[in-house]
Amino acid sequence: MSREPVLYIGTAAPLVEMARVWLAKTPGDSEAERREKSRAFPHDRIGAYDLSFPRYPDLSDLVFRTGLQVSEERVRAEVEKWAGKPPDPISISLDSVPSLDHRRALTELRNALQDQPVQIISRIGLTLQQFQRDLSDIRPELVLLDCHGTEEGFLLFEDGRALADFIPGERLFPLLRPRPRVLCLAACHSENVLKRVGDGADWRDSAVVYVLGETPVEVTACVAFQSMFYADLLRGETAGEAFDAAKQYLANDPTLGDLSVAIQEIAPSAKFRINEAGRDVRLPPTASVEAPPKDVSPPSPRRSAMIRRTADRFVGRRREMAQVIDALLPVRAGIGRGEQRIVTLTKEGGIGKTTMATEVSDWAGERGLFPGGVFELSCERFTTDQELLTGLLTLFGVPPADQRGDLLALLTAVLPQVIPQGQPALLLLDNLDDLFGQHTPREVRDRATAALETALTVASDLRILATCRWPLGLSDYETEQEVPPMAEEECCDVFVSHLEDPAHRFEAQETWKQPDSVIRQIVQMSGQHPQSLQLLARQMGRKGMTLEKLRDEAREDLLEVLVDRLSSDDETNRLKKVEVSYELSYRHLSDEGKRLFEKLSRLPGGVWCGKFAEHSLDWHNLLGEGWRETLEKELDYFALVHYEPDGPDGETGVFQMLRPMLEFAWKKYEAAKHGEWEKTWIEFWRQRIGAWNEWISGRLPDEADVPEDQRRAAGARQQQLATALFARTEPNWLAVFEHAMKTDGPLTRWFLLELVTFCKLSGQRILLKALAQQAVTVLRAFGPEEDLASCLVTLGNVQRNLGEREEAKGGFQEALEIYRRLAKAHPAAFDQDVATTLNNLGNVQGDLGEREEAKGSYQEALEIYAPLFNRWPQAFGQQFRVVQRNYKTITE
């Protein structure tokens, strides 16, 4: 059987290097003796790397590193044989490993080879054991190793839990069995890997492509080189011909070409090498094998309800990510440490908890570490345990329409079907502040805790990664990981990544190492918060702005915080510093920009944009004629809002604020006078909710000029349109509802009744129940009785649908008492409401088996409806017949 050649791409992208640092004395009385003895240092037998001589050229002291997996006793014994005395351990270091940007590199290489006759199999997250197993399973003709390399001839693989594993050439090359036809070591200094192997790397029948030993290489240069090299190789060219073509291709690259570097520097195209014996290697037209290769790429886990990612490149936080991953992943068999199956990222808003959590989720998912699935749920707007349960059930595949009765019991039944036994799964719960915060009612926290405990008990292989300002309080399961301010070096990277002017980027990078440089002062004043750094960097886009001017502006506003040199930089002080960066951006807005920024605090769901959205919503009626230009040229430019596209074209999306910025905007809104605009805001949403509620029925107006045979289809389209508009603007009209509950009882009732149909059609019964309960609470305090009764009926209906029949019965009875009182004074106005409530009460009494009571309720309702029906049959016919049917059913 024949098959296409296989290109195996092994990518190792560890997050951090954890090593033990040692100091040894070099034996010998003279410099010449010590120089000779240093050549015999047993680095191979102990995996030592990063050797340096602090007293060069004396060479009397030797500092080196070993991985933590290397036995300390082994290191001491081997070095004592060499030096006559054991080395001294200095410290354990934890250093970030630079990012490879491997995701984009792999995508670009796949795209370049998509028309070539090759099968590409990738492994992201390469350990030495996994590499050996993959070679044995698939026997590839082409092997590409994409990883970091060191000047000592090591490649950086992974240990399976985010740490770097330093692999010297002498450990790597014996594993290359069967030997591939072409091996490419896309790693800095990889020539030194071959030098360590010596004759073992002198292949006569295979090509080896590597990088010059004295130089690093750019990821972009590797991708450009490989795209031409493999394409030519697969077209039948020899390895040497393909290599030469790839070097020339890279030399002509517009950004990485030979002319892009200074004369004394090595051009990217000159960094690549190929063994001379391998230049004549050519891939046969087909490779004859007994069976096609087994695809050993880790299976992609199910990814459900993915939380929106930021478009910005992830920078820093590698040490913190490694700690989270180590705490989150299941321990290996036989290791006795206890397992805390919830990892909660805590600390104040704006510090990057969500960004880091989603990056951890992606990191684990692409390595196949959670074969049971990766599930993500944004909990930002959840304020009750019922909303949490509804969100979890929907995430795990239970449609809202099927969520009835005891939701906790339903979750217990569903989870074992979704997450099979023995299949580790990850659940990311983002922003649990309103469920587990210090302001949350105790009973809500307790029930939310019970929901998470139930999930962990039922699904024994489930792990939860949560973000919250505070620990969740599940001590039996939880590990808290505080997200600290970023390290200063990482802050510099974040700041530079958001600068637009190359000159500003160059100045910041070149002056960073100076102990009191301007850029270092700006970082220290930022509170070392990612969001604050982004805002400060955007200020550099103002005309004539310099780093010195930015520092001086920030220092002027921060004077009160910075004046006390003895104050600790605690959370309060850091938040003050962060708010200064908000103030700097806000201060430089135009008056129109400031007003728009303040008004956006009333739009927590953001401003939905795009041709359809803007035509349907008419934002200019609320935000003014120039709203889009102000958003883009001022608020988005200064990073006070961010644009999240909905699709690949970027034409449709949402301008919105992160939560800390929303809180800052609300402070500005309260301080300003927006009374007249607030009336416009309420009326804007009232008009739209009222119209959408009419559309969502699917009934076209009688006067609509639509042919009879097309009315049904047109009504369905109208219903879909209204449902989409309701759903996409939900956080915004909920903000109006919350405002109404504080100020206007009749408006609260109106909003609730207008939302009933949408909530039912979209399956959001829990939301409808929460809104109805809030409305009832408000109207009991200061609302008219007729409004209270109406909301009680709405609440009773949704409780009955959810299986809460006793609670529904109590609500109907309370509403009936109110309507009876009102009907005595105004029978024409309220008799119908009495009858409707009696029918609802009869329904729930029948559900509870109270047949005689139900019969009495229906009978009384019929007595009220009968004269109304006789007098106005067209108006009351439907209600009369429904009660008749119910009465007949209960009596039979």
Side-chain angles (χ1 to χ4, degrees):
M1 184 182 296
S2 63
R3 62 169 169 87
E4 294 177 335
V6 175
L7 169 58
Y8 174 88
I9 304 175
T11 300
L15 297 174
V16 294
E17 168 203 350
M18 183 175 282
R20 192 172 277 109
V21 185
W22 302 85
L23 173 66
K25 289 293 183 181
T26 310
D29 295 328
S30 67
E31 180 183 325
E33 288 178 325
R34 289 191 290 270
R35 186 177 299 278
E36 181 65 27
K37 193 66 175 178
S38 67
R39 297 191 182 99
F41 181 75
H43 53 78
D44 295 352
R45 295 193 293 277
I46 60 176
Y49 66 95
D50 197 20
L51 278 65
S52 62
F53 296 91
R55 297 185 183 179
Y56 187 85
D58 177 73
L59 306 182
S60 58
D61 289 340
L62 170 63
V63 177
F64 64 93
R65 296 186 178 209
T66 60
L68 292 188
Q69 72 275 19
V70 180
S71 164
E72 292 184 63
E73 289 75 14
R74 181 186 183 92
V75 175
R76 289 190 174 95
E78 291 289 347
V79 174
E80 187 172 7
K81 289 179 188 177
W82 170 74
K85 62 180 296 187
D88 296 319
I90 300 176
S91 64
I92 292 179
S93 68
L94 183 66
D95 299 321
S96 295
V97 176
S99 173
L100 273 177
D101 201 11
H102 63 276
R103 294 166 186 159
R104 189 164 57 179
L106 181 58
T107 299
E108 290 184 12
L109 184 56
R110 284 184 179 275
N111 291 339
L113 301 179
Q114 61 183 345
D115 297 327
Q116 299 298 324
V118 63
Q119 182 181 355
I120 299 177
I121 296 177
S122 60
R123 167 74 66 182
I124 297 178
L126 197 64
T127 66
L128 198 60
Q129 285 180 312
Q130 187 65 65
F131 182 51
Q132 182 179 2
R133 187 180 298 115
D134 288 349
L135 291 181
S136 176
D137 284 345
I138 65 175
R139 310 171 78 82
E141 290 81 14
L142 309 171
V143 172
L144 166 62
L145 295 183
D146 183 12
C147 54
H148 287 292
T150 73
E151 295 184 42
E152 296 87 4
F154 288 82
L155 297 182
L156 270 66
F157 279 23
E158 297 182 30
D159 74 338
R161 302 183 79 90
L163 298 184
D165 189 8
F166 284 73
I167 309 298
E170 58 269 27
R171 285 180 65 196
L172 174 70
F173 266 69
L175 302 183
L176 295 167
R177 297 288 185 273
R179 184 179 294 176
R181 298 285 288 169
V182 179
L183 170 67
C184 183
L185 300 178
C188 298
H189 316 290
S190 54
E191 181 182 26
N192 297 333
V193 175
L194 304 181
K195 289 180 179 179
R196 291 183 67 115
V197 183
D199 293 342
D202 189 17
W203 290 356
R204 299 295 176 183
D205 54 352
S206 298
V208 182
V209 178
Y210 51 92
V211 177
L212 198 62
E214 59 264 28
T215 179
V217 67
E218 301 82 359
V219 173
T220 48
C222 282
V223 175
F225 176 89
Q226 293 157 11
S227 66
M228 177 58 74
F229 175 70
Y230 286 113
D232 274 8
L233 200 62
L234 293 165
R235 293 188 190 104
E237 302 282 352
T238 66
E241 292 167 337
F243 177 82
D244 293 339
K247 284 189 64 175
Q248 191 61 46
Y249 180 77
L250 184 55
N252 294 326
D253 189 280
T255 57
L256 296 166
D258 289 356
L259 298 180
S260 66
V261 299
I263 295 176
Q264 68 273 18
E265 295 179 359
I266 302 175
S269 65
K271 295 180 179 181
F272 292 91
R273 295 286 189 272
I274 186 172
N275 61 326
E276 284 302 317
R279 290 188 65 89
D280 294 330
V281 169
R282 191 192 306 267
L283 290 177
T286 58
S288 298
V289 294
E290 295 181 358
K294 178 170 134 189
D295 187 345
V296 296
S297 301
S300 297
R302 288 170 296 163
R303 306 297 295 267
S304 299
M306 301 297 290
I307 294 170
R308 190 187 298 272
R309 268 66 172 159
T310 176
D312 296 326
R313 182 171 65 90
F314 183 78
V315 178
R317 296 291 192 199
R318 301 178 75 79
R319 297 180 184 88
E320 293 90 341
M321 277 185 64
Q323 292 173 341
V324 172
I325 289 166
D326 187 56
L328 195 64
L329 294 182
V331 297
R332 297 176 63 184
I335 296 179
R337 100 175 183 205
E339 289 193 276
Q340 306 296 98
R341 291 163 54 207
I342 296 180
V343 177
T344 306
L345 306 183
T346 64
K347 223 54 186 154
E348 66 264 24
I351 205 163
K353 300 187 294 293
T354 297
T355 303
M356 189 165 76
T358 53
E359 189 70 14
V360 167
S361 176
D362 291 342
W363 193 94
E366 68 186 1
R367 286 160 175 76
L369 299 176
F370 290 100
V374 176
F375 306 90
E376 298 181 3
L377 182 63
S378 175
C379 306
E380 184 173 4
R381 304 204 175 276
F382 294 171
T383 57
T384 69
D385 55 292
Q386 292 289 294
E387 290 174 322
L388 174 63
L389 284 168
T390 295
L392 288 172
L393 288 167
T394 303
L395 184 68
F396 292 130
V398 181
D402 295 338
Q403 297 178 20
R404 294 189 178 89
D406 187 341
L407 298 187
L408 196 58
L410 184 57
L411 182 66
T412 301
V414 165
L415 265 179
Q417 303 171 29
V418 178
I419 304 174
Q421 186 74 21
Q423 294 284 308
L426 174 65
L427 171 61
L428 169 55
L429 299 175
D430 182 45
N431 204 330
L432 291 168
D433 292 3
D434 290 334
L435 289 170
F436 291 90
Q438 299 170 356
H439 58 285
T440 305
R442 183 71 194 181
E443 59 274 13
V444 173
R445 277 208 309 270
D446 290 345
R447 290 194 295 265
T449 298
L452 297 188
E453 288 178 332
T454 298
L456 291 167
T457 302
V458 172
S460 59
D461 294 293
L462 176 66
R463 275 161 173 74
I464 295 176
L465 176 59
T467 69
C468 184
R469 296 190 184 192
W470 309 274
L472 306 185
L474 285 85
S475 55
D476 292 340
Y477 296 99
E478 184 179 19
T479 296
E480 180 192 359
Q481 295 273 2
E482 286 193 357
V483 179
M486 298 184 77
E488 286 192 355
E489 291 77 9
E490 294 177 341
C491 288
C492 179
D493 293 339
V494 171
F495 184 83
V496 169
S497 70
H498 287 99
L499 291 174
E500 297 177 352
D501 189 332
H504 289 156
R505 289 198 295 269
F506 179 80
E507 179 186 359
Q509 291 170 325
E510 288 297 306
T511 60
W512 171 252
K513 291 184 180 179
Q514 300 170 13
D516 198 34
S517 63
V518 177
I519 174 62
R520 194 176 289 274
Q521 293 175 48
I522 290 172
V523 163
Q524 291 168 350
M525 286 190 288
S526 72
Q528 294 168 242
H529 273 231
Q531 186 184 8
S532 180
L533 289 161
Q534 180 185 1
L535 289 165
L536 289 169
R538 287 296 178 89
Q539 289 296 310
M540 295 298 296
R542 287 158 41 204
K543 188 174 181 180
M545 197 64 178
T546 64
L547 291 175
E548 288 79 5
K549 287 182 180 179
L550 179 62
R551 176 202 58 195
D552 294 343
E553 285 188 8
R555 180 176 287 162
E556 181 181 345
D557 283 1
L558 267 172
L559 193 58
E560 292 182 8
V561 182
L562 299 176
V563 69
D564 184 3
R565 297 292 182 182
L566 300 178
S567 66
S568 62
D569 197 22
D570 59 11
E571 183 173 323
T572 301
N573 280 343
R574 286 199 306 272
L575 289 175
K576 286 180 182 178
K577 293 179 180 180
V578 172
E579 193 157 319
V580 166
S581 63
Y582 298 175
E583 284 282 1
L584 281 172
S585 295
Y586 174 80
R587 179 199 301 171
H588 292 287
L589 296 176
S590 65
D591 290 342
E592 183 181 355
K594 289 177 180 177
R595 286 192 295 270
L596 180 57
F597 175 74
E598 293 158 6
K599 292 172 183 177
L600 290 181
S601 67
R602 286 302 207 183
L603 298 172
V607 183
W608 182 28
C609 298
K611 187 175 180 180
F612 165 72
E614 293 174 38
H615 173 75
S616 302
L617 291 165
D618 289 330
W619 285 118
H620 64 274
N621 290 330
L622 180 65
L623 303 177
E625 290 297 335
W627 66 270
R628 183 71 186 258
E629 183 179 6
T630 304
L631 267 176
E632 292 177 341
K633 293 188 175 181
E634 292 196 58
L635 303 189
D636 188 40
Y637 181 79
F638 286 120
L640 295 171
V641 302
H642 62 283
Y643 181 72
E644 294 289 353
D646 280 346
D649 59 359
E651 293 298 322
T652 302
V654 181
F655 285 98
Q656 59 187 155
M657 295 181 184
L658 296 175
R659 187 165 180 169
M661 187 64 71
L662 202 62
E663 293 169 356
F664 176 75
W666 173 244
K667 291 180 183 177
K668 294 297 183 184
Y669 181 90
E670 285 189 307
K673 296 180 180 179
H674 289 290
E676 286 303 314
W677 181 84
E678 192 159 279
K679 295 176 185 176
T680 303
W681 169 66
I682 294 170
E683 189 58 28
F684 177 87
W685 289 108
R686 183 166 186 162
Q687 290 175 3
R688 281 147 187 78
I689 295 298
W692 301 344
N693 190 44
E694 292 180 8
W695 300 353
I696 208 167
S697 67
R699 294 190 302 271
L700 298 180
D702 294 336
E703 63 274 13
D705 186 17
V706 178
E708 195 61 36
D709 60 339
Q710 298 178 21
R711 291 182 74 85
R712 182 184 293 253
R717 288 194 298 271
Q718 176 180 280
Q719 190 177 57
Q720 292 171 355
L721 172 63
T723 303
L725 289 166
F726 264 117
R728 290 302 304 265
T729 60
E730 184 173 311
N732 290 336
W733 49 255
L734 278 176
V736 185
F737 181 82
E738 292 169 3
H739 172 77
M741 286 194 300
K742 299 174 184 176
T743 60
D744 193 331
L747 181 60
T748 300
R749 169 188 173 275
W750 180 88
F751 258 106
L752 177 65
L753 298 184
E754 294 293 300
L755 298 173
V756 168
T757 305
F758 163 69
C759 289
K760 286 182 176 178
L761 282 177
S762 60
Q764 297 192 75
R765 294 189 180 90
I766 298 299
L767 173 62
L768 182 58
K769 174 187 167 184
L771 297 180
Q773 286 175 325
Q774 293 169 15
V776 165
T777 301
V778 169
L779 290 167
R780 277 204 181 105
F782 62 84
E785 277 199 315
E786 60 266 32
D787 291 340
L788 172 60
S790 177
C791 293
L792 281 166
V793 171
T794 300
L795 176 59
N797 283 327
V798 70
Q799 286 173 326
R800 182 186 175 224
N801 286 330
L802 290 170
E804 302 171 2
R805 297 185 178 94
E806 286 291 351
E807 294 86 346
K809 176 183 171 183
F812 289 139
Q813 288 173 332
E814 183 180 355
L816 184 60
E817 291 175 8
I818 295 172
Y819 279 134
R820 287 191 195 280
R821 288 198 303 271
L822 294 171
K824 282 183 180 179
H826 306 284
F830 294 103
D831 274 348
Q832 180 186 352
D833 294 316
V834 173
T836 301
T837 308
L838 282 166
N839 181 61
N840 290 329
L841 178 60
N843 290 338
V844 76
Q845 288 169 330
D847 295 338
L848 292 168
E850 301 171 357
R851 298 176 63 83
E852 286 302 317
E853 290 85 347
K855 179 180 176 181
S857 296
Y858 291 140
Q859 191 167 3
E860 185 180 354
L862 285 172
E863 291 171 359
I864 297 172
Y865 271 134
L868 295 173
F869 171 63
N870 290 334
R871 188 170 180 182
W872 297 287
Q874 192 70 27
F876 291 97
Q878 183 177 356
Q879 297 96 315
F880 183 69
R881 285 188 289 273
V882 167
V883 180
Q884 268 190 327
R885 185 177 65 248
N886 290 340
Y887 179 78
K888 183 178 180 181
T889 301
I890 202 73
T891 53
E892 289 177 350

